[in-house]
Amino acid sequence: MPKRPILAVALSIATVFPPAALAEPVLRIGVGASDGPPIVMLARGNGEAIVGGLYKELGDALARQLGATPEYLVVSRKRVEQTIESGRVDIHCNANPKWFGNASRLGWTRELYPQIERVITLRNEPDITSLDQLAGKRISTVLGFHYQPLEPMWAARRATRLTEARADLMLKAVLMRLADASIHSELEYVAWARANPFEARVLKVHPMVFTRLPTMCAVSPRSAYGVGELNQAIERLERGGQIKAILSRYQWQGG
């Protein structure tokens, strides 16, 4: 029986088992363990994994636009910035430069959606309409997050910053009167209130907008995907109505 040429055999093997270089690329997406529903839904246990939520839907859609497979890495809030800068992930998209101490060393995409934060207290508190009304209060926050409007007040010791690992624990601190107020995104608070209607009845969302900031993707300087490429993918999602459709599933009201 004649021997097949080595080159022919190699080509045959390559056809059946294509080289790894031809496999679909991976988009590595960082997830903050402190982010709560409906933005991030985590399966908590021996190991945390993202199982749903607004963030995952947007990440999956962005990966499809790039022809990539999404791969999520859940990390604690205090490790988020280093995880992006070191290149362990390509992007982290529930982000804004004002929240990151290393923002100047990262790339930043266009806005995905706005995030609005408000002050939450017990229901019997009078309306808070200015930051000065938070003076003297114990304010519950997420560990590692930056709350720029209040930094001067904390630095001058005109108010006390308390920290918790997650948004639900911040609200628990208010309910137990361990904190006087907490700061939450509208999306996260509404999801929590629907899941905890009895507790929510004794809380108050104040009319003052604490912050309104664009949520975007922080891009690692070592990412295989550049800011321009990511912006083009986000623009295609916007033009196709996909971002609007995803947001509507979480009853995003806009404005």
Side-chain angles (χ1 to χ4, degrees):
M1 181 177 179
K3 295 183 178 180
R4 295 175 66 187
I6 293 176
L7 179 59
V9 173
L11 289 173
S12 177
I13 293 173
T15 301
V16 179
F17 303 103
L22 298 181
E24 191 171 76
V26 172
L27 177 66
R28 299 165 303 158
I29 304 172
V31 182
S34 60
D35 291 334
I39 298 173
V40 169
M41 296 180 185
L42 297 176
R44 303 189 187 275
N46 294 331
E48 291 181 321
I50 188 168
V51 293
L54 170 63
Y55 188 71
K56 186 175 187 301
E57 285 206 52
L58 289 171
D60 288 353
L62 184 57
R64 284 194 297 271
Q65 283 294 321
L66 295 168
T69 298
E71 182 179 284
Y72 295 91
L73 176 65
V74 180
V75 298
S76 65
R77 176 60 187 88
K78 64 182 180 181
R79 291 174 51 213
V80 165
E81 295 169 30
Q82 189 274 335
T83 300
I84 305 167
E85 189 171 350
S86 67
R88 287 191 64 202
V89 297
D90 295 300
I91 57 175
H92 184 104
C93 293
N94 189 29
N96 182 284
K98 292 182 182 293
W99 305 338
F100 285 67
N102 64 344
S104 63
R105 299 192 294 275
L106 307 177
W108 294 93
T109 68
R110 62 191 292 165
E111 179 179 346
L112 280 168
Y113 60 93
Q115 177 157 256
I116 298 170
E117 291 180 313
R118 294 187 186 272
V119 178
I120 312 294
T121 69
L122 292 174
R123 183 168 290 280
N124 59 358
E125 290 291 320
D127 282 357
I128 293 174
T129 57
S130 72
L131 289 177
D132 284 342
Q133 290 174 265
L134 293 173
K137 295 190 181 296
R138 300 164 299 167
I139 304 168
S140 187
T141 64
V142 171
L143 179 65
F145 273 38
H146 298 282
Y147 297 81
Q148 195 171 51
L150 286 173
E151 301 294 340
M153 188 177 290
W154 287 326
R157 298 185 179 181
R158 295 180 57 222
T160 303
R161 178 176 182 175
L162 308 177
T163 57
E164 300 289 352
R166 302 191 310 269
D168 60 315
L169 298 178
M170 292 161 56
L171 292 166
K172 185 176 181 180
V174 174
L175 289 166
M176 296 179 68
R177 300 180 185 271
L178 300 173
D180 302 307
S182 63
I183 311 296
H184 289 269
S185 78
E186 286 184 348
L187 277 174
E188 288 183 329
Y189 178 74
V190 168
W192 178 88
R194 287 186 180 132
N196 300 273
F198 181 77
E199 292 87 346
R201 286 189 304 174
V202 300
L203 294 178
K204 179 176 184 175
V205 180
H206 288 266
M208 179 185 73
V209 172
F210 179 75
T211 61
R212 180 189 174 95
L213 293 169
T215 300
M216 55 191 75
C217 297
V219 184
S220 171
R222 302 185 182 189
S223 172
Y225 302 91
V227 171
E229 184 178 7
L230 290 161
N231 278 339
Q232 289 174 7
I234 293 170
E235 185 179 2
R236 290 195 296 272
L237 289 172
E238 288 175 341
R239 285 203 312 265
Q242 290 164 269
I243 291 179
K244 184 177 181 181
I246 290 170
L247 292 173
S248 71
R249 287 196 280 278
Y250 296 88
Q251 298 190 332
W252 174 255
Q253 301 299 317

